[in-house]
Amino acid sequence: MYVTVKLLNGCQQRLTYSIPSSWQLSKPQGAVVTVPLRQRTELALIEEVIEKPTTHYSIKEAITYEPILSEPLYKQFMQRLSAYHALDPVYLYKRLCAFLKQSPEKIETNAPDNTSFTTPLQAGTHLTHEQQHIVDAIAPYITNTTYQPCVLHGVTGSGKTEVYYRLMQHAASLGKAILFLLPEVALAAQFAKLFRARNELNIPIFDFHSATSAPDKRALWQALRTEQPLVAIGVHLPILLPLRHLGIIIIDEEHETGYQEKKHPKINTKEGALLRAATHQIPILLGSATPSIATLHNVNQRGWKLFTLEKRFSGAFPDVKVVKLTPCKEKRAYFWISKELEQAIADRLSKKEQILIFINRRGYSFFVQCSTCGSIVTCNNCSVSLTLHEGNILRCHYCNFSMTLAPEHVCLQCKGTTFIKKGIGTQQVVTIIQQLFPYARIDRADLDATINRKKWQKTIQAFHNQEIDILVGTQTITKGYHFPHVTLVGILWADIQLSMPTYNAAETTLQQLIQVAGRAGRQHPNSTVIVQTMLDHTLYTYLPEERYRDFYAYEAEHRHLLCYPPFVRFAEIELRHSRQEIVEKESAHYADALADHIKKDTATAITILGPAQPPVHKIKNMHIRKIYLKAEKISDLSNLYQTLQAIPWQSTIFFTPNPLTL
Ligand code: ADP
Ligand code: ZN
């Protein structure tokens, strides 16, 4: 038998090999084999079986095949995942193989070594009635291998982890493998540690993410080859693992947009996991305190099962107060700290309770503006403003370009020499609060500080030990942490992201606010969240966690009216080129070509939006244009995109189904 293959080393050419008849591969298509190439051997994916080779060269025989990568369900999944993203399946195999060889990245995020201040898990914990009910309802899907998406809407601190753990135990007891996904490497590392420490599963628990060491990856691969049941914990990559006898997939913090990869091709791991569960006919559990609108829509429309945990395990829900930041109506020392917040801080300090102050930005202040002409200091390579950091360093958050704002700096537009610093950042907040409360012990934990992992860990540990009274931070302090003595959370500028031009800005803003607010009162009956905002917004009425599903009703109606997801499906087509004229011309041509095809095919209704210049339209000197497509099914959009890929475009073009971020 002869086959054509594509090498997994990135070489685009198709090669022909013969397959030894002794292998008895009944369906060779999509199998992974090793083939000889010159003096080496290479991994390759079989594309097609051919009758008679057309090449004149002598044809060599494939050497081995990878049974685990050639397993029918796995092949089917890889096929479906690549089709969904309009990718060559070779890309996915290449990614997996390259990753297995890659040396680990240093975790530059915030996994603390000491897990004592994260959710503790005790062996032999008795489940509550509510928890037991959920476990009992989902476990049979594992036993009977039934595809069933299940949603666990559990308020912050309601004991979701315990439910996950029991379901994992059930799967493990049946000799089945488990995929457990979290939206960040740091969280994945933390959960893996927690689960290992509890030591009740009797199957190995493997980390599988960018911080996993080479020996650990090899050990995992070995376990996969022997088809041993195991748990794989990670962010994106675990869904690509060739696991047989998969029992359940669990996705925590399912609402996180971080499940969509940030770099092209932006594979959506959550959707991948759903495809995987459907392929293997197994349950998938999506857990969150703030399930995504799309997920709740699927509960309403597509038979996904909803389970809820409505009570906190200990502590109580905080009181939420919304305070409008009106400029200078009242006399106060600092614009960013309202009278209400100042008083609340003083009150909690006097009671020796702890305070978290949250701001959704890193750096000292947003940007620097010329006070003469008003132009903003921007990056040389990207269409974004530079962010001012400690020591008057201006840095681009897209390409890392940096420069010093020297006293002799002149404005490129008007040659002006005076500049104003605008916005607010964690460091500035620390300075302000320190001035208001000279005796308070204050520190900050944001992305800047976390580049130094040791420093981050020390800060978190010190806060946990109550050696710090007030912790000022960004997103990094929102997820997973459990600080029992925090009774006040201050959110400085809640509407900062609300004006982002994305259809889901309200959803992601509310989710983040609830997650931050959820850090208050974890073990205290009396806690407060103060939400400062520039603008009024209905959104804030949904801040108490008990009201989250009312937000769903509100938001769903809104999106239905405007024809936004989840009522339609979106896809994004992005064109990039180093020359602006080319990307401009080609994006217009591209949209025309799309329109032509849509006109020809009257059976499928597709709407084109754009081409448009996105808010960030130049990154690392590449100019960007975007086109959005709307339809009922993603497959209609990926098919259309693939048809147009036959045209030799000069720009690099990327297709993203269901884009969640800009
Ligand atoms: P969530 O993930 O929903 O925010 P956690 O899983 O962190 O909540 O649980 C909150 C707290 O409740 C943790 O300290 C956890 O150990 C505790 N907990 C959860 N379930 C139980 C139980 N059945 N019995 C005792 N404590 C529990
Ligand atoms: Zn830049």
Side-chain angles (χ1 to χ4, degrees), residues 119-121 125-128 131 154-162 313 482 522:
T119 318
L121 272 171
T125 307
H126 280 286
L127 291 186
T128 61
Q131 286 171 325
V155 297
T156 51
S158 59
K160 294 186 284 297
T161 316
E162 197 57 42
F313 219 87
H482 189 75
R522 303 279 286 197

Side-chain angles (χ1 to χ4, degrees), residues 181 235-236 239 249 251 253-256 259-260 267-276 284 286 291-295 304 507 658 660:
L181 305 179
V235 181
H236 299 296
I239 61 161
I249 303 178
I251 304 192
E253 312 280 3
E254 72 86 30
H255 64 280
E256 283 285 337
Y259 280 119
Q260 184 159 67
I267 294 176
N268 187 321
T269 304
K270 186 167 83 177
E271 301 200 335
L274 282 157
L275 282 176
R276 184 110 202 221
I284 174 167
L286 303 140
S292 70
I293 297 294
T295 291
W304 291 18
E507 175 184 354
N658 192 18
L660 296 175

Side-chain angles (χ1 to χ4, degrees), residues 341-621:
L341 184 56
E342 188 184 332
Q343 274 158 13
I345 294 175
D347 175 50
R348 300 295 172 172
L349 283 176
S350 73
K351 293 180 182 150
K352 303 245 175 306
E353 293 168 4
Q354 286 179 300
I355 298 147
L356 264 182
I357 302 289
F358 174 77
I359 170 129
N360 195 8
R361 272 288 188 271
R362 54 178 160 157
Y364 180 75
S365 92
F366 285 165
F367 52 81
V368 173
Q369 191 174 29
C370 168
S371 52
T372 319
C373 74
S375 67
I376 289 159
V377 184
T378 53
C379 176
N380 288 349
N381 316 316
C382 312
S383 65
V384 293
S385 55
L386 293 173
T387 305
L388 190 63
H389 289 254
E390 247 167 298
N392 270 346
I393 307 279
L394 284 163
R395 187 176 299 145
C396 171
H397 288 179
Y398 281 83
C399 73
N400 252 343
F401 166 84
S402 72
M403 63 183 234
T404 312
L405 182 70
E408 61 276 12
H409 187 81
V410 277
C411 172
L412 293 175
Q413 305 298 324
C414 75
K415 308 270 180 288
T417 53
T418 50
F419 295 89
I420 355 172
K421 297 166 183 179
K422 283 221 165 156
I424 182 88
T426 49
Q427 216 178 323
Q428 195 182 358
V429 175
V430 169
T431 313
I432 294 174
I433 300 180
Q434 195 73 75
Q435 276 159 13
L436 288 170
F437 303 100
Y439 301 108
R441 295 164 302 173
I442 309 172
D443 208 339
R444 68 190 183 104
D446 59 18
L447 279 168
D448 268 358
T450 55
I451 288 170
N452 184 343
R453 187 170 163 230
K454 281 252 155 56
K455 155 93 172 66
W456 163 270
Q457 282 181 17
K458 260 173 83 180
T459 309
I460 296 285
Q461 185 73 59
F463 191 58
H464 191 263
N465 297 348
Q466 291 179 276
E467 292 154 18
I468 295 172
D469 304 309
I470 306 175
L471 185 64
V472 178
T474 53
Q475 284 94 318
T476 41
I477 59 172
T478 64
K479 279 173 222 128
Y481 293 103
H482 189 75
F483 302 115
H485 303 284
V486 170
T487 57
L488 173 64
V489 168
I491 299 171
L492 288 197
W493 184 0
D495 49 334
I496 190 169
Q497 284 194 324
L498 213 48
S499 50
M500 294 286 268
T502 51
Y503 72 86
N504 55 356
E507 175 184 354
T508 49
T509 300
L510 182 63
Q511 286 163 345
Q512 196 173 54
L513 294 179
I514 290 179
Q515 298 287 344
V516 184
R519 300 307 111 204
R522 303 279 286 197
Q523 240 149 55
H524 206 283
N526 232 324
S527 63
T528 308
V529 176
I530 293 185
V531 180
Q532 300 189 147
T533 177
M534 301 273 200
L535 300 169
D536 291 317
H537 198 287
T538 343
L539 190 79
Y540 300 127
T541 55
Y542 302 107
L543 266 171
E545 286 198 51
E546 313 86 283
R547 293 216 57 205
Y548 185 75
R549 287 223 295 288
D550 297 332
F551 169 71
Y552 165 72
Y554 157 84
E555 180 72 5
E557 189 185 325
H558 195 69
R559 296 218 196 146
H560 193 169
L561 219 68
L562 296 171
C563 270
Y564 282 146
F567 297 92
V568 291
R569 301 287 269 159
F570 257 9
E572 177 194 274
I573 289 170
E574 180 176 319
L575 292 91
R576 287 191 184 203
H577 200 280
S578 56
R579 283 173 54 200
Q580 187 171 345
E581 356 32 293
I582 292 182
V583 82
E584 209 139 83
K585 210 170 70 198
E586 275 208 330
S587 56
H589 283 171
Y590 200 102
D592 290 343
L594 282 169
D596 278 348
H597 277 274
I598 292 168
K599 239 184 267 155
K600 272 184 245 153
D601 176 12
T602 48
T604 42
I606 296 176
T607 316
I608 311 173
L609 307 166
Q613 177 174 303
V616 177
H617 50 86
K618 191 176 85 173
I619 296 176
K620 296 183 188 173
N621 288 317

